[in-house]
Amino acid sequence: METIDWKNLGFGYMKTDYNIRAYFRNGKWEEPTLTQDETITMSMAAAGLHYGQECFEGLKAFRGKDGKVRIFRVDENARRMIRTAEYTCMAPPPLELFVEMVKEAVRKNERFVPPYGTGASLYIRPLLFGTGIQIGVKPADEYLLIVFVMPVGPYYKEGFKPIRVIVDRKHDRAAPRGTGHVKVGGNYAASLLSGEKGKYKGYPSVLYLDACEKKYIDECGAANFFAIRAGSYITPDSPSVLPSITNMSLRQLAQDMGLKVENRKVPLDEVPTFEEVGCCGTAAVISPIGSIYDPETEETYTFGDEPGPWSVKLYEALRGIQSGDLPDPHGWVTVL
Ligand SMILES: Cc1ncc(COP(=O)(O)O)c(C=O)c1O
């Protein structure tokens, strides 16, 4: 058996022992099957390849000090995939099927769940797409749900460091009545050029504004945006933002810590008044933002080279629950 250098893992694909698959065929979901095959055989006329009937999820499992494996908020990822499938006319997987397939994929690959204390975790990628042959533009009649997993390294190898962000006024990742609120692959295709341009200019992440007025903050790369000001946790309410499960959890923790939670439109003009800003998502939990550059006004708003105290507190509280170091008062964790 190969040995894995847990401390030096990045975020990338790695073959593990098994993946688990279930087909929706003839109007119903079939029993999931385990396989060691990393490939898929399907028609070149499959709807998922042509008309974007494809979506995915991303969640993590963590090894605790007690050796047990904990999966974070798997039911919420199931609900989000169901909403995405419904919005794109795909067969929504039943919540219990999704949760059971995730648990089985983790169990069957348990040796890939990184040890406690390495900062690494097991990333779980559920994927749903239309395999049914469909050349006319309409929904497919056959779908495949696959759950595969891979160990991934800690997001912060050199510590919890704020990032530089640039406002993107030239591209929109999603429109108000489009697909931004669901997790379809097309949203990511729409964001790649913008992200690549940002990186080329030296910014690891771009800040998207609302597509309609270019006035309000939408998302930050593939993560939600939040800010702290005067005892409030502020995060955008927008029809084109993906409802982040991390953000949902941080809002609850912020409230538990006595912060007021403001989920509302956030004008870009408010940025200079914020004490701390960051983005949040499964990959990093929190990425503190050190500065935001707006190419239109050529203004840079700076927030310092160190993460703010609330960002650190919220990060530690969430990581503590995920690893089992802290109690789980909201029942977010599934212990295998
Ligand atoms: C566009 C986008 N926004 C936000 C998030 C964060 O969501 P979550 O916290 O559920 O990972 C993600 C990652 O899944 C994303 O891709």
Side-chain angles (χ1 to χ4, degrees):
M1 200 150 65
E2 75 276 27
T3 51
I4 298 171
D5 181 5
W6 304 110
K7 286 219 156 93
N8 289 307
L9 278 174
F11 185 83
Y13 180 72
M14 181 192 287
K15 179 171 169 32
T16 52
D17 289 338
Y18 295 98
N19 62 85
I20 182 159
R21 304 175 180 197
Y23 276 98
F24 178 89
R25 272 194 284 235
N26 303 315
K28 63 174 178 38
W29 283 97
E30 297 178 352
E31 278 299 305
T33 53
L34 267 182
T35 176
Q36 294 196 299
D37 190 356
E38 290 172 280
T39 64
I40 309 159
T41 302
M42 62 179 181
S43 168
M44 61 188 174
L49 299 176
H50 297 259
Y51 304 126
Q53 275 197 307
E54 183 277 343
C55 73
F56 66 99
E57 276 300 329
L59 66 158
K60 283 181 173 174
F62 303 84
R63 174 95 56 193
K65 210 185 262 177
D66 55 7
K68 290 185 183 152
V69 177
R70 290 169 174 80
I71 310 176
F72 189 66
R73 303 200 79 171
V74 55
D75 49 335
E76 289 300 335
N77 290 90
R79 288 193 187 96
R80 193 166 66 188
M81 181 172 269
I82 291 168
R83 292 197 302 272
T84 305
E86 285 171 346
Y87 194 72
T88 49
C89 296
M90 294 196 274
L95 188 136
E96 304 71 35
L97 175 72
F98 180 102
V99 171
E100 205 30 66
M101 284 175 68
V102 166
K103 283 160 87 174
E104 189 63 358
V106 177
R107 268 188 225 113
K108 288 290 190 264
N109 293 292
E110 213 203 301
R111 71 186 184 93
F112 292 97
V113 183
Y116 174 81
T118 54
S121 55
L122 189 75
Y123 183 70
I124 306 162
R125 172 52 66 92
L127 174 70
L128 172 72
F129 55 96
T131 46
I133 292 173
Q134 195 57 60
I135 286 299
V137 181
K138 67 181 184 106
D141 58 3
E142 184 184 298
Y143 296 88
L144 176 59
L145 173 63
I146 307 182
V147 180
F148 62 101
V149 301
M150 70 213 77
V152 295
Y155 199 83
Y156 295 107
K157 288 212 174 67
E158 280 100 39
F160 191 46
K161 281 274 168 244
I163 56 166
R164 278 154 47 91
V165 165
I166 184 168
V167 176
D168 191 342
R169 292 173 179 277
K170 296 229 168 84
H171 302 272
D172 298 311
R173 66 169 278 284
R177 291 179 195 84
T179 53
H181 63 296
V182 292
K183 206 165 166 65
V184 293
N187 293 342
Y188 298 82
S191 72
L192 289 177
L193 184 59
S194 158
E196 289 303 298
K197 283 182 176 172
K199 283 192 199 104
Y200 180 76
K201 292 180 189 150
Y203 298 89
S205 197
V206 300
L207 192 64
Y208 294 105
L209 302 180
D210 78 283
C212 199
E213 293 182 75
K214 293 277 176 211
K215 198 170 153 195
Y216 302 100
I217 296 174
D218 237 34
E219 290 210 77
C220 188
N224 278 185
F225 177 90
F226 74 91
I228 305 285
R229 185 186 58 206
S232 283
Y233 177 98
I234 303 161
T235 190
D237 179 24
S238 155
S240 45
V241 162
L242 184 77
S244 152
I245 294 157
T246 312
N247 194 0
M248 189 196 298
S249 311
L250 292 173
R251 290 202 296 266
Q252 181 63 57
L253 294 174
Q255 196 182 313
D256 296 349
M257 291 173 188
L259 291 171
K260 185 176 161 217
V261 173
E262 298 178 34
N263 189 196
R264 57 162 169 86
K265 284 183 166 187
V266 181
L268 184 66
D269 289 351
E270 242 182 273
V271 164
T273 70
F274 293 144
E275 293 154 20
E276 297 177 36
V277 288
C279 33
C280 61
T282 294
V285 178
I286 286 178
S287 288
I289 296 175
S291 68
I292 299 177
Y293 171 64
D294 184 348
E296 190 170 87
T297 57
E298 296 191 351
E299 216 51 87
T300 300
Y301 306 101
T302 53
F303 300 91
D305 296 334
E306 293 300 326
W310 282 110
S311 301
V312 173
K313 235 175 132 174
L314 287 162
Y315 174 79
E316 286 175 352
L318 191 57
R319 287 292 291 114
I321 295 172
Q322 290 176 329
S323 63
D325 286 348
L326 293 176
D328 174 24
H330 302 289
W332 289 341
V333 157
T334 301
V335 183
L336 273 195

